[in-house]
Amino acid sequence: MISGLLPELEVIRKDFPILERTLAGGLPLVYLDSANTSQKPQVVIDTMVDHLERHNANIARAMHQLGAEATEAFETARDKVAAFIGAPERDEVIFTKNASEGLNLVANTLSFPGEHQLGPGDEVVITEMEHHSNIVPWQLVTQRTGATLRWFGVTDEGRLDLDRIDELINERTKVVSLTWVSNMLGTINPIAEIARKAHAVGAIVVVDASQAAPQLPIDLAAMPVEERPDLLVFTGHKVVGPTGIGVLWGSRAVLDTLPPFLGGGEMIETVRMEGSTFAGIPHKFEAGTPPIAEAVGLGAAVEYLGHIGLDAIHTHERAITGYALQGLATVPGLTVLGPLDPAERGGAISFELDGVHPHDVAQVLDSRGVAVRAGHHCAKPAHARFGVQSSTRMSSYLYTTPDEIDALVEALNYTRSYFKLG
Amino acid sequence: MSAAQDLDALYQEIILDHYKNPHGKGLREPAAAQRSADVHHVNPTCGDEITLRVHVEGEPGSERVADVSYDAVGCSISQASASVLHELLVGKTIDEAMNVHGEFLALMQGKGTVEPDEEVLEDGIAFAGVAKFPARVKCALLSWMAWKDATVQARG
Ligand SMILES: Cc1ncc(COP(=O)(O)O)c(C=O)c1O
């Protein structure tokens, strides 16, 4: 028996109806693509259906009972998200479409006129292991403003190369934006240490928590201020919530100084033809009708995770990741990209199989019911760093069992024999 | 069909043979009498890449595909299809080659309903099974799209 697994794993699996379905040929589904998107528990599905069946109305502007109920449901979801990340203030939680929109909101508003506006001579620091969502917006914005984009490299073991940290983070640094957990290498980055350095030079710290929020307990209020990010984003669909909803959390101090991103309904205080004044946070950054049912679903999702407990989920992920790393090590010709110690990594494991292209690996695994991701996982620079163009990635979650890891390892050995490798 | 049979339909022996022993791989310098054009195509979803050079010779109106040389990284399907392309198109007039291109395209976009013509497509008929895997059609077409793009340019 592997220690650390969620004690009620079989009960938890029953919460996720999709895990019961079979694939072509009657094969059971072995879903190992949760870093791409997670599956949804019944309670999220039911909550969204109930909202649409019984409480649907636009929010904040409808004067009738349904409007009040919908508004209440939407704002309660904000409270639940705030509790999930330990936000110091619930109004600091802003709903976006996904993590990408959150990062674009931040990068763009930092390029608009205002206290933090980027310009020539300013530096933005990211890392080589970012998802494209935390690279491209900064490229666009630094090109537009004349600021300089710099980045941390990655060591052979898949960790951030911090040797040059004192040179990289300097008095010209205005923004440091990095991922908490890498979606390709699985690496957990020392965000507290980096935030401390960045804050010491007065830079704003942005953390992409898209892969961290699903599996690490986050308590922003409990972090020492010097180590707390100023802005943090994650995406709803990776925390057992629906697609179409994401979260930007920001400290009031920073959010209040950022100009609006999108203009429109609900983000204003008053509008005259000569000009407008804007609502306070969170509404300032939520122009237009938001994804209401999705927000309500996300509220149910983070509440569900909270009931199980993020500490327990993290322990489970570590146990499964450790078991998977052991299993993968038995497959001849397989090389894991990223740290090999489960204590230092999240539940996404990218690997190469000598002699078989990742696309072909994923195809053969799929024929055995094992769903993984193949490609560059929106992290082309991180792949280039390891001299590969693509990789195969398995990623687990709270519903993943050791049996599923066994099925993966078995299917990988089958893949080798299918392509006649020894 | 079971998943295993589908898999065998996708990975025909012919495809795996071309993958292991690709025809015409490598970029070559065009000979003195040849015109050439280079293109670089990428499959953005998976990152497969090809740099392909078409070598053309002959009088306008009756030009021939003298050679297709290429450098490519990618999966078995994309590599094998570049190899088959080389085998099928080199030596043909551009008009004949365009015709083969059209047949191959129709096969790949036919969702498994098009019966391939072995007279025209030769080893290319092995790709009939790929057409049933929508995610892989782009792999099979990467080199073919690059070839057409380069040929239009080389013809000028
Ligand atoms: C680390 C990381 N950042 C950002 C994203 C982007 O998320 P989304 O596509 O939902 O905006 C992802 C997921 O794909 C991710 O893994």
Side-chain angles (χ1 to χ4, degrees):
Chain A
M1 198 47 203
I2 303 155
S3 73
L5 296 181
L6 281 164
E8 308 252 277
L9 188 50
E10 280 314 310
V11 181
I12 287 171
R13 284 181 69 81
K14 294 226 157 40
D15 291 338
F16 292 81
I18 209 167
L19 299 179
E20 314 234 310
R21 70 157 282 181
T22 53
L23 302 168
L27 291 171
L29 167 68
V30 176
Y31 187 75
L32 294 174
D33 198 18
S34 290
N36 201 352
T37 199
S38 60
Q39 296 302 348
K40 320 304 172 200
Q42 193 68 51
V43 62
V44 168
I45 300 165
D46 289 350
T47 301
M48 292 177 74
V49 170
D50 178 66
H51 182 83
L52 293 169
E53 282 182 351
R54 298 169 44 82
H55 310 291
N56 179 56
N58 209 331
I59 55 163
R61 42 182 107 165
M63 283 299 144
H64 40 68
Q65 291 174 43
L66 291 186
E69 287 172 23
T71 306
E72 161 88 13
F74 183 76
E75 292 302 331
T76 302
R78 197 189 307 279
D79 292 330
K80 290 176 181 174
V81 170
F84 177 65
I85 55 174
E89 259 190 73
R90 53 96 60 192
D91 284 345
E92 294 171 333
V93 171
I94 290 152
F95 285 122
T96 61
K97 181 170 68 178
N98 48 32
S100 303
E101 189 185 62
L103 290 163
N104 277 277
L105 185 160
V106 170
N108 278 280
T109 54
L110 286 169
S111 76
F112 297 162
E115 190 180 323
H116 300 291
Q117 185 178 23
L118 293 166
D122 292 341
E123 295 180 359
V124 173
V125 179
I126 58 173
T127 86
E128 209 177 5
M129 66 166 84
E130 298 308 311
H131 187 280
H132 296 166
S133 294
N134 199 27
I135 298 176
V136 183
W138 299 111
Q139 289 175 335
L140 293 170
V141 158
T142 50
Q143 281 159 14
R144 203 184 306 142
T145 57
T148 304
L149 185 62
R150 307 186 64 188
W151 52 87
F152 284 101
V154 172
T155 67
D156 290 342
E157 293 76 41
R159 295 194 191 84
L160 278 188
D161 183 356
L162 298 177
D163 283 357
R164 288 167 56 230
I165 188 167
D166 291 321
E167 193 266 319
L168 263 177
I169 299 182
N170 59 52
E171 67 289 350
R172 295 181 300 279
T173 310
K174 291 296 179 299
V175 181
V176 177
S177 185
L178 80 162
T179 192
W180 193 335
V181 177
S182 159
N183 69 314
M184 175 206 165
L185 301 165
T187 321
I188 301 179
N189 288 320
I191 58 154
E193 178 190 344
I194 291 171
R196 190 176 276 280
K197 289 266 187 201
H199 284 148
V201 299
I204 289 180
V205 177
V206 185
V207 167
D208 177 357
S210 298
Q211 296 292 343
Q215 50 181 327
L216 298 181
I218 300 180
D219 190 351
L220 289 162
M223 295 179 182
V225 200
E226 318 82 66
E227 296 180 357
R228 188 190 300 155
D230 301 291
L231 300 152
L232 174 139
V233 305
F234 66 96
T235 196
H237 64 94
K238 296 191 207 276
V239 291
V240 308
T243 55
I245 185 85
V247 171
L248 163 65
W249 169 86
S251 73
R252 175 179 285 278
V254 169
L255 289 179
D256 277 346
T257 57
L258 292 178
F261 177 43
L262 303 175
E266 300 313 328
M267 54 76 71
I268 50 94
E269 186 179 62
T270 183
V271 176
R272 285 179 300 138
M273 291 317 287
E274 296 74 27
S276 303
T277 54
F278 305 111
I281 60 168
H283 306 295
K284 177 168 93 174
F285 294 107
E286 292 179 353
T289 300
I292 301 166
E294 287 76 5
V296 172
L298 177 60
V302 297
E303 193 171 54
Y304 174 84
L305 294 181
H307 281 318
I308 294 170
L310 264 294
D311 283 314
I313 293 172
H314 183 211
T315 308
H316 178 82
E317 280 278 80
R318 252 199 337 224
I320 287 286
T321 305
Y323 186 68
L325 286 167
Q326 279 172 20
L328 293 173
T330 65
V331 180
L334 188 146
T335 316
V336 168
L337 304 165
L340 294 173
D341 177 357
E344 291 180 28
R345 53 156 34 258
I349 308 178
S350 298
F351 56 86
E352 283 208 288
L353 188 59
D354 235 6
V356 195
H357 189 274
H359 242 168
D360 297 319
V361 174
Q363 190 86 56
V364 178
L365 296 191
D366 185 51
S367 79
R368 316 280 278 185
V370 181
V372 297
R373 184 163 175 187
H376 50 60
H377 325 312
C378 300
K380 281 193 110 172
H383 279 84
R385 162 64 183 82
F386 287 91
V388 298
Q389 209 206 353
S390 58
S391 61
T392 310
R393 181 183 75 183
M394 67 133 276
S395 51
S396 53
Y397 205 17
L398 74 159
Y399 38 67
T400 305
T401 66
D403 287 351
E404 290 181 299
I405 301 300
D406 293 343
L408 167 73
V409 170
E410 194 272 324
L412 285 167
N413 282 316
Y414 174 75
T415 306
R416 293 192 73 251
S417 65
Y418 193 87
F419 286 98
K420 303 193 173 61
L421 300 168
Chain B
M1 236 200 290
S2 76
Q5 281 166 328
D6 267 348
L7 198 66
D8 292 341
L10 176 67
Y11 294 118
Q12 304 262 328
E13 278 305 321
I14 303 178
I15 292 185
L16 296 180
D17 285 348
H18 276 277
Y19 176 46
K20 294 229 159 100
N21 303 299
H23 296 227
K25 194 164 174 156
L27 276 176
R28 292 173 286 282
E29 285 306 314
Q34 297 173 350
R35 293 182 302 287
S36 72
D38 289 12
V39 295
H40 182 74
H41 278 211
V42 179
N43 182 344
T45 45
C46 64
D48 285 2
E49 295 188 31
I50 189 165
T51 303
L52 181 143
R53 177 175 297 157
V54 175
H55 310 230
V56 171
E57 63 190 7
E59 294 303 311
S62 60
E63 300 126 305
R64 282 186 179 276
V65 184
D67 193 7
V68 178
S69 63
Y70 62 93
D71 239 346
V73 271
C75 64
S76 60
I77 304 295
S78 72
Q79 302 295 295
S81 106
S83 169
V84 167
L85 175 144
H86 180 272
E87 200 178 67
L88 277 179
L89 302 190
V90 173
K92 292 204 162 53
T93 67
I94 290 185
D95 289 344
E96 288 164 349
M98 283 289 179
N99 183 41
V100 177
H101 182 277
E103 289 265 333
F104 190 74
L105 195 64
L107 175 65
M108 295 321 302
Q109 295 177 339
K111 302 196 169 78
T113 62
V114 174
E115 198 53 49
D117 181 349
E118 187 162 5
E119 293 280 299
V120 181
L121 289 179
E122 302 174 29
D123 276 3
I125 62 165
F127 288 84
V130 179
K132 283 188 230 134
F133 292 82
R136 305 305 294 274
V137 169
K138 269 196 276 179
C139 310
L141 287 179
L142 182 67
S143 55
W144 290 76
M145 294 307 189
W147 174 81
K148 186 166 184 188
D149 188 6
T151 302
V152 169
Q153 290 181 31
R155 225 177 190 179

